[in-house]
Amino acid sequence: MTDMSTGGLAVPRLPQTRAADAPGAPALADDRIELTNERFSNAVATAATHLAAAGVRRGDVVGLLLTNRVELVVALFAAWRLGAAVTPVNPALAVPEVEFQTADAGVRVLVVEPGAQAPSLMTAVECTALLEPAPGPAAPEEDVDGTDVALLIYTAGTTGKPKGVMITHHNIDAMTASFIEHFRFTADDHSLLVLPLFHANGVVLGTLTPLRAGGRATIAGRFRPDEFFPAVQRHRPTYFSAVPAIYAMLTALPDDVRPATDSVRFGICGAAPMPADLIARFERRFGIPIVEGYGLSETTTASAINPLDSVRKPGTVGPPLPGQRIRIVDAQLNDVPLGESGEVVIAGDVVMAGYLNRPEATAETIVDGWLRTGDVGRIDDDGYLQLVDRVKDMIIRGGENIYPKEIEAQIYHDPGVFEAAVIGRPHDVLGEEPVAYVSFRAGAASNVETIANDLRRRIALIKNPVEIIELSELPKNPVGKIDKPTLRRRDAERTSPGRTSR
């Protein structure tokens, strides 16, 4: 498709270029609205006029306090049309959390659900009003530069106040181009979006990339396991992106659920390492290959993904994506020998501009152009990256380094396990000891005793959890990852002060 844009940028002008190339082709849909390219472009122009009337100007920030819906994507492009940046806000946040993000980002106008209330003293626009006819002439289109901030994605805030990740238009152009090259996306591709649009994955991989390739995106709304495959059969997407928790829920569907999945070329798994056993279980049952990948908001979505057409290695996140470089370094940021573990650092055009108004945090994270991820990994002889764990999740037991992911991978060998998470529990003498939290599939014969017995055969005694605790469901953060900070707090609450684990 034509790649015309101001300043050589492809993504900000996608509505206009798509309408010029194929006005009647489908672009974007949810369960209420279907937009062709021409209707999409017109909707963006109309929404931009409404936002301008509300006071949005070049350099401003527009907040999107919305569930997944067509209006969110329209508002995104409308803000860019005016030269403004966008910060998507998780609609499940509490009012103080919304107030923090909107104030920290300097939001000028907040787009909200119909009937919703915005924080006090903030201009709000209902999302449905953006699609209504706009009075007066259309707002003029602003030029945007590659260095302009396009997205402010806020981190989960597990280590303090959330930080605004500044993703530029150049970052987004580089990331979408990398995805298109890696997955060979074309105008025939169709994304089924199940991840939240307040996260980089949903915005960039699930929406912007297929639109740039000339394809389309369908927004499935809030994920429900029993509604996912009916949506696949109804919309016939070619791919989707999800997190391990979603794949686990789909494999737990009743055995008589055998959907037609012939339209789907592949599924992508990100946000957290996916157990190899779970990948195999999903692929055998549903016939959809899973490619596991890795990235961060700070790298605009992803930095490594297993290939589609060559060797896929479950348990790894594949080689670096086109245009990116990955190194494994020690504490002094020197390269470690091939195959040894160290911190993962990443360079490339997808690396964020920095954290909004946090120069110290930016300087600590980006060193000589390399992004320090805080993840521990190793690279094998084929150049595939294997994640070992988070630096901060590593457990030091009596001076020995223990990686929770290694224990979790062994727990997942039990087919009755639905989810597992290992954390460190403080110990007066040893420093920390591993503790496991698990949930089981419905009807599973497994229990904490069978897991403990199996682990004693599989891993060294020092790595065995001192306690295995069953929960009906493990806590998740808004992106769908198992929430280890919450588990640590709960574990501390259930452990009396001063208690020493056996």
Side-chain angles (χ1 to χ4, degrees), residues 10-291:
V11 175
R13 287 183 53 87
L14 278 175
Q16 298 95 308
T17 56
R18 288 174 59 95
D21 285 350
L28 191 64
D30 60 18
D31 58 2
R32 304 164 299 111
I33 299 172
E34 294 184 8
L35 297 180
T36 62
N37 286 332
E38 185 173 46
R39 289 185 61 203
F40 179 38
S41 181
N42 291 340
V44 169
T46 299
T49 301
H50 282 294
L51 290 177
V56 176
R57 299 290 183 267
R58 178 177 176 82
D60 286 341
V61 178
V62 175
L64 305 180
L65 182 59
L66 298 173
T67 56
N68 279 15
R69 55 193 300 160
V70 158
E71 291 94 338
L72 191 155
V73 181
V74 170
L76 175 80
F77 279 100
W80 290 346
R81 187 182 176 102
L82 298 175
V86 168
T87 187
V89 185
N90 178 1
L93 292 181
V95 171
E97 295 171 311
V98 173
E99 291 175 340
F100 170 80
Q101 181 174 335
T102 53
D104 189 73
V107 167
R108 168 77 67 177
V109 171
L110 186 65
V111 182
V112 298
E113 300 279 336
Q117 298 251 332
S120 59
L121 304 178
M122 176 166 289
T123 301
V125 176
E126 292 188 1
C127 64
T128 50
L130 294 178
L131 303 185
E132 296 173 357
E141 184 176 349
E142 294 284 341
D143 288 337
V144 292
D145 186 80
T147 60
D148 290 342
V149 176
L151 287 172
L152 283 169
I153 301 291
Y154 273 72
T155 62
T158 56
T159 57
K161 285 288 189 182
K163 299 187 292 289
V165 176
M166 295 189 291
I167 297 175
T168 67
H169 285 289
H170 179 64
N171 291 151
I172 291 174
D173 260 39
M175 188 75 263
T176 52
S178 182
F179 282 142
I180 289 170
E181 179 179 348
H182 181 79
F183 290 116
R184 300 178 186 173
F185 284 131
T186 70
D188 293 328
D189 278 297
H190 179 185
S191 163
L192 183 64
L193 182 67
V194 297
L195 293 179
L197 282 166
F198 57 80
H199 190 258
N201 191 316
V203 175
V204 181
L205 177 54
T207 307
L208 300 180
T209 297
L211 292 179
R212 182 175 180 181
R216 57 192 291 205
T218 294
I219 300 169
R222 185 177 178 84
F223 174 79
R224 285 174 53 94
D226 58 332
E227 294 178 356
F228 177 77
F229 284 116
V232 167
Q233 295 180 157
R234 186 165 63 252
H235 299 297
R236 296 188 59 77
T238 60
Y239 80 99
F240 61 90
S241 183
V243 297
I246 287 177
Y247 289 106
M249 286 185 275
L250 292 175
T251 60
L253 287 169
D255 290 341
D256 60 355
V257 176
R258 296 287 173 178
T261 60
D262 57 294
S263 71
V264 183
R265 291 205 290 136
F266 59 92
I268 305 165
C269 183
M274 185 167 168
D277 288 354
L278 178 56
I279 294 175
R281 191 178 303 127
F282 184 91
E283 291 182 341
R284 282 196 305 268
R285 178 167 177 185
F286 298 114
I288 299 172
I290 300 300
V291 288

Side-chain angles (χ1 to χ4, degrees), residues 37 140 293 392 416 446 481 496:
N37 286 332
K392 65 179 177 13
S446 311
K481 295 168 65 173
S496 59

Side-chain angles (χ1 to χ4, degrees), residues 6 75 150 173 225 230 242 263 271 308 333 340 380 407 440 478:
T6 303
D173 260 39
S263 71
L308 279 177
L333 303 185
E340 291 192 10
D380 69 14
I407 305 171
F440 294 99

Side-chain angles (χ1 to χ4, degrees), residues 343-365:
E343 183 178 1
V344 180
V345 295
I346 300 168
D349 289 341
V350 301
V351 172
M352 67 172 180
Y355 295 116
L356 180 68
N357 298 326
R358 288 166 173 78
E360 296 86 1
T362 299
E364 291 172 0
T365 304

